[in-house]
Amino acid sequence: MPALALIGAARIAARHKRALVLKLDPEWRADDPAASRLLRAAGLHDSPYDVQHRNTWLVPLDGGEDAVLSRVKASTRNHIRKAERGGVHIERRTDVAAVDDFHPLFRETVRRSGFVGRDLDYHRAVVRHLGASCPVVVLLARVGGEAVAGMIAVAAGSRLVYLFGGSSLRQSRLQPAYLMHWEAIRWGLGNGCSVYDMWGVPNHEDPSAEGAGYYEFKRRWNGEIARHIRCQDASLWPALGPLPRLAERLALRGRPLLT
């Protein structure tokens, strides 16, 4: 469906639900001139708040396993081997029940990091519904049978996408997350993927700021930042003027505006 028709249909659905604001995160590159034309045609405008990271980290997978492994940092290869030697086992599953083993790790990460996380039913729905249209995998890193890290990934055409992840601090010295992501890459290659989209990285590159930890982890796999436009707002009730945005600010008070 063309972008304008899709946005129009989303507006109708949002009005039917009596939503005040429709927020869109189009995957349009910031340097794409076509994006500006589409924004104007669709009547969208920059939101004062991001829902998700605007930028993502893309790792090229061309050349196969040996080529990909040769391009990552030496420390990353060492961490992968350390996990293998330490007895970390990666379990690949496609059943919805696997989410029940993944979700406690996700919740532990949410509590530790302080970000907003989805609930168990949401993750179950992701595996169930996305699995009907493209390959989906739940990876669990186990040590002695105990799950210590997990992730959900999809093979969307030529792109391997890291959707959700979580880990425990137990057995972290064995670096299970590195072996888990390496197994995700191997799985993606087996499904014909040519790029690994590791998803969000911060809008900054300050190593001392929030988000620096997972940004540095993703950088260790080689690749580059893809910069996208910020979250967009679509007006639903023009007659209400500024009231929807005021209501949003009240609901999100305390959350910093974009700079």
Side-chain angles (χ1 to χ4, degrees):
M1 180 184 292
L4 291 180
L6 182 61
I7 293 170
R11 268 196 170 103
I12 293 171
R15 284 173 63 93
H16 181 72
K17 294 289 187 180
R18 295 294 188 265
L20 281 178
V21 180
L22 172 62
K23 292 189 173 294
L24 304 169
D25 264 322
E27 197 176 50
W28 297 341
R29 297 288 287 259
D31 56 0
D32 183 358
S36 297
R37 294 193 295 271
L38 279 168
L39 290 175
R40 290 194 298 271
L44 303 179
H45 54 272
D46 289 347
S47 171
Y49 305 96
D50 271 331
V51 175
Q52 303 187 73
H53 284 305
R54 281 178 257 160
N55 303 327
T56 191
W57 189 259
L58 301 179
V59 177
L61 302 182
D62 52 291
E65 289 185 22
D66 291 342
V68 174
L69 195 58
S70 70
R71 291 193 295 262
V72 304
K73 289 188 176 184
S75 58
T76 299
R77 291 193 295 271
N78 290 337
H79 289 330
I80 292 171
R81 295 179 185 123
K82 181 176 182 178
E84 290 174 328
R85 291 193 303 268
V88 178
H89 169 70
I90 307 299
E91 179 181 314
R92 296 183 188 178
R93 294 173 60 181
T94 58
D95 57 299
V96 175
V99 177
D100 293 13
D101 290 328
F102 160 76
H103 194 71
L105 297 165
F106 176 79
R107 295 305 310 173
E108 185 172 341
T109 302
V110 167
R111 289 192 296 269
R112 188 170 65 240
S113 302
F115 63 84
V116 178
R118 300 290 190 174
D119 60 22
L120 176 59
D121 286 341
Y122 181 91
H123 287 143
R124 285 173 175 165
V126 166
V127 174
R128 180 182 302 111
H129 296 300
L130 285 182
S133 59
C134 63
V136 179
V137 68
V138 179
L139 295 173
L140 296 166
R142 296 186 181 274
V143 178
E146 179 189 13
V148 295
M151 64 183 287
I152 300 174
V154 299
S158 63
R159 186 170 53 168
L160 168 66
V161 184
Y162 169 39
L163 291 180
F164 303 102
S167 64
S168 168
L169 294 180
R170 299 181 300 279
Q171 306 293 345
S172 60
R173 61 182 180 80
L174 295 177
Q175 306 293 350
Y178 283 89
L179 183 58
M180 181 177 66
H181 278 269
W182 174 238
E183 287 298 318
I185 288 172
R186 295 182 64 219
W187 177 82
L189 287 168
N191 280 280
C193 297
S194 58
V195 64
Y196 185 18
D197 186 343
M198 299 189 79
W199 262 29
V201 291
N203 297 329
H204 55 75
E205 297 178 35
D206 180 356
S208 65
E210 183 179 1
Y214 59 84
Y215 176 44
E216 177 57 29
F217 176 83
K218 293 175 183 182
R219 288 182 60 193
R220 289 177 174 273
W221 295 89
N222 191 26
E224 63 179 8
I225 289 179
R227 303 184 186 280
H228 300 105
I229 64 171
R230 65 173 49 175
C231 182
Q232 298 293 306
D233 285 350
S235 176
L236 297 177
W237 313 99
L240 294 180
L243 290 180
R245 179 160 285 193
L246 176 61
E248 180 186 21
R249 288 201 173 190
L250 289 174
L252 298 176
R253 57 186 179 274
R255 179 173 174 174
L257 294 172
L258 297 176
T259 58

